[in-house]
């Protein structure tokens, strides 16, 4: 449509003109009005024509991936869904079309994601991926624009690794996608699984399926109605939790059990060199067992390489199965989390089991445990600092070599009403201040309380008493910074601390923070994450998905970068 703009001569005051000048101005204005009126008549007669004024050619017009960005963390309007990004923009993970900005020091609005709500978002080393509101998966990075890599599977969660992207569907199926800057996507009819282990693109059961993927299937049959409800990936292994509370693990590569993080070491994989259904046994031996003297002096060090390592490297290429962890059978698990090289299981009773790499004390077994590798799930003692109080773990978050435990402590006072507090305990590598205790410690084996966010209370109008302020969500970066959302009566504050070499904390600086600190927006106000009903939600292609959708802002900490996006409930 035409947008009428008054002429510059018409905006000026006529009182400064002479009589002849005013006559000429009136004539020019009348002529312009006649031209505009004629244009409107012509436009009304073209019912099916599209008129573009000063537009780019259709071949180069890409509104959905505009490189436009807006400084500041304040939204453009209350109706617009703005995605905020900051930190390292290497490989163009935050702003795909901006190759000039290596680092974004403060929260910046990514205009190319305006009004786009997502189900999940991951920021890896050289790429980023997301699930849009329709459940389709997109990937971008390394100077490659966002591209559709999986469509039609109703994905609800993503996990990223160096070589693979793992996706969980609403039906409980796990898919593995190749992670890389170059991808091919085409449409062809898929009648059956091809000879390769990777599926092609096509139509399945009347639904359009686009993307090359491999389904990761459980080696142990699931019970009727049981499905996977969450996945969590480390550097080399993947964990999966079912709706019945069963724990599974999947080896991504040969290093999947280098620190015992799988919880088992014997498995079998299909024989890809044969057309038969023969399976080959594989033993993934942890380094501490295969070579106990790896870190010893040359005098004690064995010169011969482990035979088990040679055999494993020759056999394990890609495993399409996920295996139940034997030592956790019969234990009801409510949360299963993978650190970089470690694993954690939260039981239904609030107790935590940990296993895997422990060089920095990231499992949290205490300062007296100096083992670098824990090959058997071992209980983490979280009540050492609170004798006489009932302790229950509510949540576990892990990333890299850092672990966060959200702990509830209940003490029975003299009054009939008990005292309940929430603490955040951290263990592992704190050389960037990631432990949140105002210290820079290379290793922390005993979980230590974080400052500013533990034992906080507020008044509750309903109970006429105090209630604890609890973390709403915690995101731990593999590179050493933490984003925490603190939920209180005053709003959902976003706090950050830890590594800040690439401005991933969003405070405009590059020095780390050793204590949780509330982020400040561009107007000097507290950075509050909001919940609201969106007027309309777009998918990743810019097409309206739904109107009147409940959405909330969610913070995610990635590799040297951070983002706050609008999450749509699934």
């Amino acid at each position: 449509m035409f947008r009428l703009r008054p002429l510059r001569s018409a905006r000026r005051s006529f009182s400064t003109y002479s009589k002849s000048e005013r006559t000429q101005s009136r004539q020019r204005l009348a002529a312009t009005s006649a031209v505009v009126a004629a244009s409107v008549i012509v436009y009304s007669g073209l019912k099916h024509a599209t008129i573009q004024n000063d537009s780019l050619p259709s071949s180069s017009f890409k509104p959905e991936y505009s490189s436009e960005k807006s400084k500041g963390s304040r939204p453009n309007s209350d109706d617009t869904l703005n995605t905020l990004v900051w930190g390292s923009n290497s490989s163009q993970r935050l702003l795909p079309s901006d190759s000039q900005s290596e680092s974004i020091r403060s929260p910046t609005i990514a205009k190319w994601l305006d009004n786009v709500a997502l189900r999940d978002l991951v920021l890896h080393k050289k790429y980023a991926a997301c699930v849009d509101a329709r459940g389709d998966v997109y990937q971008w990075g390394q100077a490659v624009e966002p591209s559709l890599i999986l469509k039609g599977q109703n994905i609800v969660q993503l996990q990223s690794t160096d070589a693979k992207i793992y996706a969980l569907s609403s039906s409980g199926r796990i898919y593995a996608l190749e992670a890389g800057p170059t991808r091919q996507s085409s449409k062809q009819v898929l009648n059956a699984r091809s000879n390769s282990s990777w599926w092609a693109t096509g139509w399945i059961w009347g639904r359009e399926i686009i993307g090359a993927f491999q389904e990761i299937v459980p080696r142990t049959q699931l019970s009727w109605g049981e499905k996977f409800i969450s996945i969590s990936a480390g550097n080399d292994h993947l964990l999966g939790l079912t709706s019945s509370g069963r724990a599974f693990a999947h080896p991504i590569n040969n290093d999947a059990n280098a620190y015992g993080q799988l919880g088992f070491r014997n498995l079998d994989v299909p024989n890809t060199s044969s057309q038969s259904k023969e399976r080959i046994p594989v033993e993934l031996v942890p380094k501490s067992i295969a070579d106990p003297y790896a870190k010893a002096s040359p005098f004690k060090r064995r010169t011969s390489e482990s035979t088990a390592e040679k055999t494993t490297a020759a056999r394990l290429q890609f495993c399409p199965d996920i295996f139940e962890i034997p030592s956790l059978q019969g234990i009801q698990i409510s949360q299963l989390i993978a650190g970089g090289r470690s694993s954690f299981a939260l039981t239904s009773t609030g107790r935590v089991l940990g296993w895997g790499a422990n060089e920095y004390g990231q499992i949290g077994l205490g300062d007296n445990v100096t083992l670098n590798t824990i090959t058997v799930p071992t209980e983490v003692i979280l009540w050492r600092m609170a004798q006489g109080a009932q302790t229950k773990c509510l949540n576990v978050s892990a990333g890299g070599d850092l672990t966060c435990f959200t702990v509830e402590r209940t003490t029975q006072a003299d009054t009939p009403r008990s005292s309940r507090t929430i603490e955040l305990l951290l263990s592992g590598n704190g050389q960037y201040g990631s432990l949140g205790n105002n210290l820079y410690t290379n290793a922390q084996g005993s979980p230590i309380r974080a400052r500013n966010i533990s034992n906080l209370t507020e008044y509750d109008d309903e109970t006429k008493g105090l209630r604890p302020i609890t973390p709403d969500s915690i995101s731990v970066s593999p590179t050493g910074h933490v984003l925490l959302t603190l939920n209180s009566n005053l709003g959902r504050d976003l706090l950050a601390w830890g590594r800040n070499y690439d401005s991933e904390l969003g405070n405009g600086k590059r020095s780390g923070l050793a204590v949780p600190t509330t982020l400040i927006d561009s107007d000097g106000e507290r950075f509050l994450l909001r919940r609201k009903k969106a007027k309309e939600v777009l998918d990743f292609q810019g097409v309206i998905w739904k109107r009147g959708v409940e959405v909330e802002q969610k913070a995610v900490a990635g590799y040297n970068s951070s983002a706050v996006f609008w999450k749509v409930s699934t």
Side-chain angles (χ1 to χ4, degrees):
M1 296 179 64
F2 285 94
R3 181 176 295 177
L4 300 180
R5 296 183 177 179
L7 298 175
R8 291 184 178 179
S9 59
R11 290 202 298 261
R12 298 170 58 183
S13 174
F14 281 107
S15 62
T16 59
Y17 289 147
S18 64
K19 183 176 181 180
S20 60
E21 289 174 334
R22 278 182 282 177
T23 303
Q24 294 175 1
S25 298
R26 291 191 186 98
Q27 291 175 353
R28 288 195 298 267
L29 184 61
T32 303
S33 302
V35 172
V36 172
S39 301
V40 172
I41 294 174
V42 173
Y43 174 74
S44 62
L46 300 176
K47 295 183 179 180
H48 302 288
T50 302
I51 300 178
Q52 296 178 343
N53 293 329
D54 301 328
S55 64
L56 296 174
S58 58
S59 60
S60 60
F61 185 54
K62 301 177 180 179
E64 63 269 25
Y65 304 136
S66 173
S67 62
E68 216 177 306
K69 62 180 180 180
S70 175
K71 290 289 183 183
S73 56
R74 280 286 182 183
N76 296 334
S77 66
D78 291 337
D79 294 335
T80 304
L81 303 180
N82 297 123
T83 298
L84 304 174
V85 295
W86 63 94
S88 174
N89 192 40
S90 62
S91 303
Q92 292 82 56
R93 294 171 301 153
L94 304 181
L95 301 174
S97 300
D98 187 359
S99 59
Q100 303 298 325
S101 301
E102 287 293 330
S103 180
I104 304 172
R105 291 202 168 189
S106 59
T108 299
I109 298 176
K111 298 289 291 182
W112 65 289
L113 287 174
D114 278 355
N115 288 327
V116 176
L118 306 174
R119 296 185 180 184
D120 202 2
L121 172 68
V122 293
L123 303 171
H124 203 65
K125 295 178 183 177
K126 297 183 179 180
Y127 69 89
C130 74
V131 185
D132 71 352
R134 297 186 186 274
D136 301 330
V137 182
Y138 293 82
Q139 180 190 347
W140 63 92
Q142 294 181 284
V144 176
E145 289 186 342
S147 58
L148 177 66
I149 61 174
L150 182 60
K151 178 180 180 180
Q153 295 290 19
N154 197 18
I155 302 301
V156 296
Q157 186 187 1
L158 287 183
Q159 291 290 294
S160 60
T161 64
D162 290 344
K164 298 285 190 299
I165 299 175
Y166 290 89
L168 176 66
S169 70
S170 60
S171 61
R173 295 177 180 270
I174 302 175
Y175 302 103
L177 312 171
E178 284 288 350
T182 57
R183 303 192 59 87
Q184 297 178 353
S185 61
S186 60
K187 290 187 177 182
Q188 57 185 1
V189 178
L190 180 64
N191 296 322
R193 184 178 294 196
S194 61
N195 294 332
S196 172
S197 62
W198 291 91
W199 287 29
T201 62
W203 295 74
I204 299 180
W205 302 308
R207 297 180 301 163
E208 186 181 12
I209 306 295
I210 296 178
F213 60 88
Q214 165 69 53
E215 182 177 357
I216 307 299
V217 296
R219 191 74 175 94
T220 305
Q221 186 176 3
L222 301 182
S223 59
W224 178 261
E226 185 181 13
K227 65 177 184 178
F228 286 98
I229 57 175
S230 70
I231 56 176
S232 182
N235 297 340
D236 308 297
H237 72 296
L238 177 80
L239 301 179
L241 179 66
T242 71
S243 55
S244 299
R246 296 165 67 187
F248 286 75
H250 162 75
I252 298 177
N253 52 39
N254 289 329
D255 294 327
N257 201 43
Y259 299 89
Q261 60 264 47
L262 278 181
F264 56 87
R265 69 188 203 182
N266 293 311
L267 61 140
D268 55 1
V269 296
N271 187 0
T272 56
S273 61
S274 174
Q275 297 295 332
S276 63
K277 296 183 179 180
E278 178 189 3
R279 300 183 68 89
I280 302 175
V282 174
E283 184 177 14
L284 298 177
V285 184
K287 291 181 178 180
S288 61
I289 298 177
D291 192 357
Y293 302 99
K295 296 185 178 181
S297 62
F299 178 75
K300 293 183 178 181
R301 176 104 166 78
R302 291 187 303 177
T303 57
S304 61
E305 188 179 7
S306 172
T307 306
E309 283 185 323
K310 290 181 179 180
T311 305
T312 300
R315 290 184 178 181
L316 184 60
Q317 297 179 357
F318 175 77
C319 179
D321 302 312
I322 187 168
F323 304 86
E324 186 173 8
I325 301 176
S327 57
L328 297 181
Q329 291 181 0
I331 301 177
Q332 187 73 18
I333 306 298
S334 61
Q335 188 183 16
L336 199 60
I337 297 296
R341 299 165 299 146
S342 54
S343 304
F344 299 89
L346 177 62
T347 68
S348 58
T349 59
R351 305 172 77 173
V352 180
L353 302 173
W355 64 100
N358 193 46
E359 302 105 316
Y360 302 95
Q362 58 262 48
I363 297 182
L365 299 179
D367 296 330
N368 294 329
V369 179
T370 59
L371 296 175
N372 291 335
T373 300
I374 307 298
T375 58
V376 178
T378 306
E379 184 173 3
V380 181
I381 307 301
L382 297 173
W383 55 83
R384 285 192 178 95
M385 296 185 299
Q387 298 296 331
Q390 295 181 359
T391 300
K392 178 181 180 181
C393 185
L394 304 178
N395 181 76
V396 180
S397 302
D401 298 319
L402 185 69
T403 311
C404 301
F405 306 95
T406 303
V407 176
E408 175 190 73
R409 302 196 192 278
T410 305
T411 57
Q412 193 69 33
D414 297 335
T415 60
R417 191 172 298 168
S418 61
S419 175
R420 176 173 168 264
T421 58
I422 302 295
E423 294 182 356
L424 184 67
L425 307 180
L426 295 98
S427 62
N429 188 355
Q431 64 174 322
Y432 306 112
S434 308
L435 296 174
N437 62 340
N438 203 25
L439 295 175
Y440 294 87
T441 307
N442 288 337
Q444 180 65 41
S446 295
I448 192 168
R449 184 186 300 112
R451 296 191 177 186
N452 297 345
I453 52 178
S454 298
N455 297 324
L456 301 180
T457 58
E458 63 183 354
Y459 184 76
D460 187 4
D461 293 331
E462 295 182 358
T463 61
K464 306 298 181 182
L466 297 178
R467 69 177 179 184
I469 299 177
T470 60
D472 186 66
S473 64
I474 304 173
S475 181
V476 183
S477 166
T479 50
H481 74 285
V482 185
L483 297 179
L484 180 142
T485 305
L486 199 61
N487 192 10
S488 67
N489 291 332
L490 302 177
R492 299 166 67 227
D493 290 89
L494 182 61
L495 294 89
W497 70 95
R499 187 184 186 274
N500 198 30
Y501 289 176
D502 296 286
S503 301
E504 51 263 52
L505 297 185
N507 58 358
K509 303 177 182 179
R510 304 190 69 174
S511 57
L513 294 174
V515 291
T517 305
T518 302
L519 290 185
I520 304 299
D521 61 22
S522 58
D523 294 336
E525 303 291 337
R526 293 157 48 212
F527 197 124
L528 297 178
L529 303 186
R530 299 179 296 159
R531 293 188 178 101
K532 68 176 184 179
K533 178 177 289 188
K535 186 176 181 181
E536 64 179 23
V537 170
L538 306 180
D539 62 10
F540 211 81
Q541 298 289 347
V543 180
I544 296 178
W545 175 62
K546 284 183 181 180
R547 290 183 171 88
V549 181
E550 294 290 340
V551 293
E552 66 175 1
Q553 286 182 303
K554 181 178 177 61
V556 56
Y559 278 82
N560 307 322
S561 57
S562 306
V564 172
F565 68 96
W566 287 94
K567 180 179 175 60
V568 59
S569 58
T570 55

